[in-house]
Amino acid sequence: MSWLEDSEGQVEYLGTTRAAQWLADLGFRVSPATLRQWRWKGCGPRFHKLTDGGEAYYLIADLQGYVESRVYYNTGELAVGAGV
């Protein structure tokens, strides 16, 4: 078991590429480049970064929470210029 796995061997943290794949598996067209851009802009799902210039890691629960927070009833609910 590595620090990226919970006690049952399930991966809880995903790197950028795997996080993009996880979102794609749900049907969302999000590339690793999009996740990097969202980090730079300060929007998108929360992430963890242990060192400057190091890999960013996404907690699966944070990816799930981000997806769940992006639910709208109509396009008028989206704030203009609010980012992603």
Side-chain angles (χ1 to χ4, degrees):
M1 180 174 79
S2 75
W3 69 273
L4 292 174
E5 298 173 346
D6 66 12
S7 61
E8 297 174 357
Q10 299 296 312
V11 175
E12 291 184 347
Y13 286 91
L14 303 175
T16 301
T17 300
R18 290 186 64 200
Q21 183 60 53
W22 187 90
L23 291 166
D25 290 346
L26 293 178
F28 298 103
R29 296 169 72 180
V30 177
S31 69
T34 298
L35 288 174
R36 285 190 290 275
Q37 185 177 55
W38 287 351
R39 288 195 308 263
W40 181 78
K41 288 182 174 182
C43 56
R46 293 177 355 147
F47 63 94
H48 300 257
K49 200 162 186 175
L50 302 177
T51 62
D52 290 340
E55 176 73 47
Y57 294 95
Y58 294 87
L59 187 62
I60 291 175
D62 288 338
L63 293 172
Q64 290 169 327
Y66 181 73
V67 168
E68 291 169 5
S69 74
R70 305 296 297 169
V71 176
Y72 302 98
Y73 292 100
N74 63 64
T75 57
E77 293 180 286
L78 295 170
V80 176
V84 177

